[in-house]
Amino acid sequence: MKNFILPLLLLLSLQVGAQLKQKTADDFYAHEEFSKCVEMYDELANKAISGHKKGETENILKAAECHFYLYQMKEAAHYYSELYQRDQMNENNRMHYIDALRFIQNYQLSTKIARESHTLFPENLFFKRLVDNENNFKSLFLDSSFYKVNLA
């Protein structure tokens, strides 16, 4: 009987701990204290990613948003990419994903997603301007490529 109760208590304590972490992270997030909840959401999001659980995409989204608002764009782009692959992005998420990609200089993917987003949300001026000005950016980058900085 003791051999049965001990693992049961251990399992219960782990479950309560996970629920407490979720609630604590949600409370910090609700108060926009992103620096306090980002690590908790990282852990929860990575569990959702590794488990491929569809119901836990909210934790992936919150991890992406925490990193985005803390200007940790590489991490934000990672989590937005996971949401993009799961087809779980709304209009605002797509805007943040494009901004994060542009911040980390992944212009090719950001342009691709901007075009897709413009097709899905034709009234959105952000997507429209990115698609309309796509060629302007190319000429700007080509022009700036003439100047290279060499470190001595």
Side-chain angles (χ1 to χ4, degrees):
M1 184 69 169
K2 289 181 183 179
N3 292 338
F4 178 72
I5 293 175
L6 187 60
L8 183 64
L9 288 175
L10 182 62
L11 185 64
L12 274 169
S13 66
L14 290 174
Q15 183 67 24
V16 168
Q19 289 175 349
L20 182 61
K21 183 176 288 190
Q22 180 75 52
K23 184 182 177 342
T24 303
D26 289 343
D27 288 344
F28 283 136
Y29 184 87
H31 292 100
E32 297 182 359
E33 297 183 62
F34 303 117
S35 63
K36 292 182 180 179
C37 64
V38 69
E39 290 179 7
M40 289 180 246
Y41 279 124
D42 280 345
E43 186 177 329
L44 293 167
N46 288 331
K47 284 181 182 178
I49 291 169
S50 65
H52 300 289
K53 297 178 182 175
K54 288 189 176 184
E56 294 182 0
T57 56
E58 188 69 24
N59 287 331
I60 301 170
L61 174 61
K62 287 182 178 179
E65 288 180 343
C66 286
H67 284 290
F68 182 84
Y69 292 127
L70 293 171
Y71 294 96
Q72 298 169 345
M73 298 301 178
K74 186 176 179 182
E75 293 84 358
H78 165 71
Y79 290 119
Y80 282 126
S81 172
E82 186 65 34
L83 291 169
Y84 179 75
Q85 291 171 6
R86 293 174 179 224
D87 196 28
Q88 296 289 317
M89 298 189 82
N90 63 25
E91 187 174 358
N92 193 46
N93 301 146
R94 285 176 172 272
M95 290 170 57
H96 285 175
Y97 186 31
I98 291 168
D99 279 342
L101 289 171
R102 291 172 66 201
F103 192 88
I104 62 172
Q105 299 178 352
N106 191 341
Y107 301 112
Q108 189 174 10
L109 184 56
S110 70
T111 302
K112 174 186 174 242
I113 293 173
R115 276 192 233 115
E116 289 176 7
S117 301
H118 179 59
T119 304
L120 292 170
F121 307 101
E123 299 298 318
N124 186 306
L125 292 178
F126 177 77
F127 301 138
K128 181 178 179 353
R129 287 187 182 134
L130 285 176
V131 171
D132 289 347
N133 294 325
E134 178 183 340
N135 293 328
N136 295 346
F137 286 121
K138 286 181 185 174
S139 64
L140 175 67
F141 293 135
L142 287 174
D143 183 37
S144 67
S145 67
F146 288 122
Y147 305 104
K148 301 271 185 203
V149 176
N150 294 324
L151 299 175

